[in-house]
C-alpha cells in the first residue's frame, strides 16, 4: 500500500515535466484530424528551405481565405467581421482601398511615433511592479497608441477598456485558453460605429459603416494590438531571462537593441503558420507542379531555425550580418502582402523597450514558448530597489510548471471544441458560397 501511494505521489509530482508536451502533441493530432490533411507544408518534402521565399513570393501564392478549411477556423477566431479583416481579404478593389487607408494611418514620422509611444507607456505603466503578465501589461499601451493613431486624440479610459477586452478575448481564444465572448467584441464594434466620423483619414469608399467599423476593429484593434503586445512580451521575456543582454540593451545604442529585437523575433515569430491558397499552378520542376487550389502552409518558426548554428540559442550577434543574408522574415515577404506595420513596429518597440528598461529590472524563470499561453510571467523591480529574492524566482518556475498542466488540459478541451464549432459554422465557406463573385 505504501509503495502504491509513493508511486502515485511520484507520478503526480512528475506531471509538469511530461504531461503538457504529450497533450500538445495530442491536440495537434486532433486538430489535424478535424481540419483534414489538405495542406502542403513549406518548408517540407515538396518545397525545401532554399525555395521558401521563391514560392512565398510567387504571384499564384496569393489566395487568402477562399477554398481552405483552415480559413473557417481563423474567421471563427477573428469574428466579428472577418470578411473585412485586411489579412483575409482576397485581391481586388476592396483590398486595395483598405490597404491604402492602412498605409495612410501608419505613415507617421519616426519622432512622432516615438513620442506617442513614450506618452502611452508613461500613462499605462503607472506604478506597476512585482509579478506581472507581460502581455497583459502591454495591451493597454498599444490600445492607447493605436487609438490615438486612428483618431488623432488621446484614448479615453472607456475606449481603452473596450479595446483591451476585445483584443484579450481574441488572443485568448486563438491560444485555446478560453472560449469566445462575442458580446465583448460587439461592444467595441458599436463604439467604433459611433466614432467613424473622427477617423483622421478618409475611410475606404464603397464600404458600409458596419464594414468600416469591422475593418478598423480587425486591422488596428485586433491584429495591431494583439501582435504588438505579443511581440513586446516575447522581447521582454528574452531580456528578463538574459540579464547580460538586458543590461547591454539598457545602455547600448539603437543598432544593438535592433539586433536584440530581430533575434527575439527570429526565435519567437509572431506568425506560426501562414496559409495561402494558390490561385494558379506553380511550377517547381519540369515534372513537379503545385496545382491551383492547393493550400500552402508557410512555417515561419521552421524557416527561421534553418541556416543558423545552434538555432534555439538566443544570440543577437547573428544580426551583425545583413538580415537579407539570413532566413529571417518577421514581417513576411515583400512580394506577398508583408505586414503593413513593418516600418512602424520596430520603431515603437524600441521606444517602448527604452521606457521600460529605464524604469525596471526584469526577471523571469517561467517557460517561454512561441505561443506564450502563460502570457509572460515576469517580476518587475524598480531600478532603485533591491532585486527579487531567489525564492521568488524559484516559486515562479514551480508555479508556472503546474499552471501549464492545467492550462494544457484546458487548451485540449476548448481547442477541440472550437475547431469543431468552426467547422460546423463554416463562416468562410458560407460567405463565399453566398457571394461567389465578390473579392471580399
Amino acid at each position: 500500500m505504501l509503495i502504491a501511494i509513493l508511486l502515485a505521489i511520484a507520478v503526480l509530482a512528475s506531471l509538469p515535466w511530461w504531461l503538457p508536451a504529450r497533450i500538445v502533441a495530442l491536440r495537434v493530432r486532433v486538430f489535424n484530424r478535424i481540419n483534414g490533411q489538405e495542406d502542403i507544408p513549406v518548408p517540407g518534402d515538396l518545397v525545401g528551405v532554399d525555395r521558401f521565399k521563391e514560392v512565398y513570393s510567387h504571384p499564384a501564392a496569393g489566395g487568402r481565405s477562399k477554398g481552405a478549411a483552415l480559413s473557417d477556423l481563423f474567421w471563427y477566431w477573428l469574428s466579428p467581421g472577418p470578411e473585412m479583416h485586411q489579412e483575409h481579404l482576397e485581391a481586388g478593389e476592396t483590398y486595395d482601398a483598405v490597404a491604402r487607408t492602412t498605409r495612410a494611418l501608419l505613415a507617421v514620422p519616426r519622432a512622432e511615433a516615438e513620442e506617442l509611444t513614450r506618452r502611452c507607456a508613461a500613462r499605462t505603466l503607472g506604478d506597476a511592479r512585482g509579478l506581472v503578465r507581460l502581455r497583459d501589461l502591454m495591451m493597454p499601451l498599444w490600445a492607447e497608441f493605436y487609438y490615438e493613431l486612428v483618431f488623432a486624440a488621446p484614448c479615453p479610459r472607456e475606449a481603452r477598456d473596450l479595446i483591451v477586452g476585445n483584443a484579450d478575448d481574441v488572443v485568448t481564444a486563438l491560444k485555446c485558453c478560453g472560449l469566445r465572448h462575442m458580446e465583448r467584441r460587439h461592444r467595441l464594434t458599436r463604439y467604433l460605429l459611433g466614432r467613424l466620423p473622427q477617423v483622421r483619414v478618409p475611410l475606404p469608399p464603397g464600404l458600409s459603416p458596419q464594414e468600416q467599423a469591422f475593418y478598423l476593429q480587425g486591422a488596428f484593434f485586433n491584429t495591431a494590438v494583439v501582435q504588438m503586445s505579443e511581440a513586446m512580451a516575447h522581447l521582454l521575456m528574452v531580456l528578463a531571462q538574459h540579464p547580460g543582454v538586458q543590461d547591454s540593451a539598457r545602455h547600448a545604442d539603437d543598432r544593438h537593441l535592433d539586433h536584440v529585437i530581430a533575434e527575439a523575433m527570429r526565435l519567437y515569430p509572431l506568425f506560426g503558420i501562414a496559409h495561402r491558397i494558390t490561385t494558379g499552378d506553380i511550377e517547381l520542376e519540369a515534372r513537379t507542379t503545385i496545382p491551383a487550389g492547393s493550400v500552402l502552409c508557410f512555417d515561419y518558426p521552421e524557416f527561421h531555425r534553418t541556416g543558423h548554428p545552434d538555432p534555439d540559442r538566443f544570440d543577437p550577434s547573428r544580426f551583425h550580418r545583413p538580415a537579407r543574408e539570413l532566413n529571417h522574415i518577421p514581417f513576411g515577404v515583400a512580394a506577398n502582402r508583408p505586414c503593413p506595420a513593418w516600418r512602424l513596429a520596430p520603431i515603437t518597440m524600441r521606444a517602448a523597450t527604452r521606457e521600460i528598461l529605464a524604469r525596471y529590472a526584469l526577471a523571469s524563470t517561467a517557460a517561454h514558448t512561441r505561443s506564450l499561453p502563460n502570457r509572460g510571467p515576469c517580476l518587475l523591480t524598480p531600478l532603485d530597489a533591491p532585486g527579487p529574492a531567489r525564492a521568488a524566482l524559484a516559486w515562479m518556475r514551480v508555479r508556472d510548471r503546474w499552471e501549464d498542466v492545467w492550462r494544457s488540459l484546458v487548451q485540449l478541451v476548448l481547442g477541440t471544441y472550437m475547431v469543431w464549432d468552426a467547422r460546423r459554422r463554416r463562416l468562410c465557406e458560407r460567405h463565399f458560397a453566398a457571394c461567389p463573385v465578390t473579392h471580399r
Side-chain angles (χ1 to χ4, degrees):
M1 182 65 176
L2 179 60
I3 293 176
I5 293 173
L6 292 174
L7 183 60
I9 292 173
V11 170
L12 183 64
S14 71
L15 289 179
W17 279 263
W18 62 269
L19 184 60
R22 299 288 180 86
I23 292 177
V24 168
L26 177 59
R27 184 156 56 96
V28 169
R29 288 198 296 272
V30 170
F31 280 23
N32 287 340
R33 174 67 65 87
I34 295 176
N35 274 318
Q37 300 292 331
E38 63 173 6
D39 58 286
I40 298 172
V42 183
D45 294 337
L46 188 61
V47 181
V49 171
D50 59 322
R51 303 193 71 174
F52 183 99
K53 288 184 180 179
E54 174 193 345
V55 173
Y56 205 171
S57 302
H58 196 283
R64 312 302 285 197
S65 294
K66 187 176 181 180
L70 275 172
S71 300
D72 286 321
L73 182 58
F74 283 108
W75 282 41
Y76 178 89
W77 278 328
L78 294 172
S79 293
E83 69 278 5
M84 290 308 306
H85 197 292
Q86 183 169 334
E87 173 66 11
H88 294 280
L89 282 169
E90 301 296 339
E93 293 180 3
T94 300
Y95 169 76
D96 292 340
V98 162
R100 280 194 299 271
T101 303
T102 299
R103 288 194 296 270
L105 286 167
L106 295 176
V108 182
R110 172 175 172 168
E112 185 178 326
E114 291 173 335
E115 177 56 29
L116 177 55
T117 304
R118 286 191 287 266
R119 289 203 312 271
C120 293
R123 285 197 300 263
T124 58
L125 289 174
D127 58 354
R129 63 171 61 201
L131 178 62
V132 299
R133 305 279 176 161
L134 292 170
R135 194 181 80 199
D136 300 347
L137 183 71
M138 290 293 98
M139 268 197 182
L141 191 166
W142 300 115
E144 292 205 1
F145 179 93
Y146 281 99
Y147 182 96
E148 189 158 342
L149 195 72
V150 170
F151 295 109
C155 182
R157 183 57 185 263
E158 176 195 7
R160 190 179 91 180
D161 290 346
L162 288 172
I163 295 167
V164 169
N166 170 84
D168 182 67
D169 194 66
V170 169
V171 72
T172 299
L174 279 164
K175 309 294 183 186
C176 301
C177 292
L179 297 175
R180 304 183 308 166
H181 298 84
M182 294 307 297
E183 180 53 29
R184 294 180 194 172
R185 307 183 189 195
H186 291 315
R187 283 197 290 267
L188 177 59
T189 308
R190 292 192 291 269
Y191 180 88
L192 293 173
L193 276 167
R195 293 284 292 162
L196 293 179
Q198 281 73 52
V199 177
R200 67 179 180 86
V201 303
L203 286 167
L207 301 186
S208 69
Q210 180 92 340
E211 290 172 329
Q212 291 175 340
F214 283 153
Y215 153 64
L216 291 175
Q217 187 165 353
F220 293 95
F221 305 121
N222 280 0
T223 298
V225 173
V226 167
Q227 297 284 47
M228 288 300 294
S229 300
E230 290 258 304
M232 283 300 301
H234 282 304
L235 175 58
L236 296 176
M237 278 290 281
V238 161
L239 295 175
Q241 296 183 342
H242 297 82
V245 176
Q246 180 181 160
D247 190 59
S248 65
R250 184 175 285 113
H251 302 292
D253 60 16
D254 284 350
R255 184 170 182 270
H256 176 75
L257 183 52
D258 286 344
H259 291 170
V260 173
I261 293 172
E263 175 67 350
M265 297 187 78
R266 182 194 71 82
L267 269 177
Y268 305 103
L270 296 178
F271 300 105
I273 301 292
H275 77 280
R276 301 288 182 264
I277 302 93
T278 56
T279 56
D281 293 348
I282 299 178
E283 186 175 320
L284 299 176
E285 309 291 349
R287 298 183 180 179
T288 306
T289 299
I290 299 174
S294 300
V295 179
L296 302 175
C297 289
F298 294 95
D299 189 332
Y300 277 63
E302 183 60 27
F303 181 68
H304 280 189
R305 284 177 50 82
T306 57
H308 297 284
D310 196 5
D312 295 323
R313 179 170 56 90
F314 180 76
D315 182 9
S317 69
R318 299 181 203 275
F319 288 87
H320 291 171
R321 296 165 54 192
R324 64 178 177 275
E325 297 179 7
L326 305 172
N327 289 341
H328 186 247
I329 51 167
F331 300 105
V333 295
N336 194 337
R337 287 201 211 170
C339 172
W342 65 268
R343 183 194 69 88
L344 183 63
I347 292 170
T348 55
M349 287 178 68
R350 189 190 312 123
T353 304
R354 293 277 187 219
E355 285 296 303
I356 293 164
L357 293 182
R359 296 165 178 252
Y360 301 109
L362 295 81
S364 179
T365 52
H368 186 187
T369 61
R370 195 203 66 80
S371 62
L372 205 69
N374 61 8
R375 313 194 314 279
C378 182
L379 287 170
L380 297 184
T381 306
L383 289 180
D384 58 356
R390 289 185 177 181
L393 292 171
W395 169 242
M396 177 189 288
R397 182 191 298 271
V398 172
R399 174 180 169 177
D400 183 64
R401 282 188 177 273
W402 278 103
E403 284 181 350
D404 200 29
V405 173
W406 170 248
R407 186 167 48 239
S408 61
L409 290 168
V410 169
Q411 288 178 293
L412 175 63
V413 174
L414 298 187
T416 301
Y417 168 77
M418 286 190 286
V419 172
W420 169 81
D421 195 33
R423 294 302 305 272
R424 179 180 66 87
R425 294 174 184 265
R426 300 186 183 277
L427 296 176
C428 179
E429 180 183 320
R430 290 177 178 175
H431 171 79
F432 284 104
C435 310
V437 182
T438 184
H439 288 294
R440 295 180 186 172

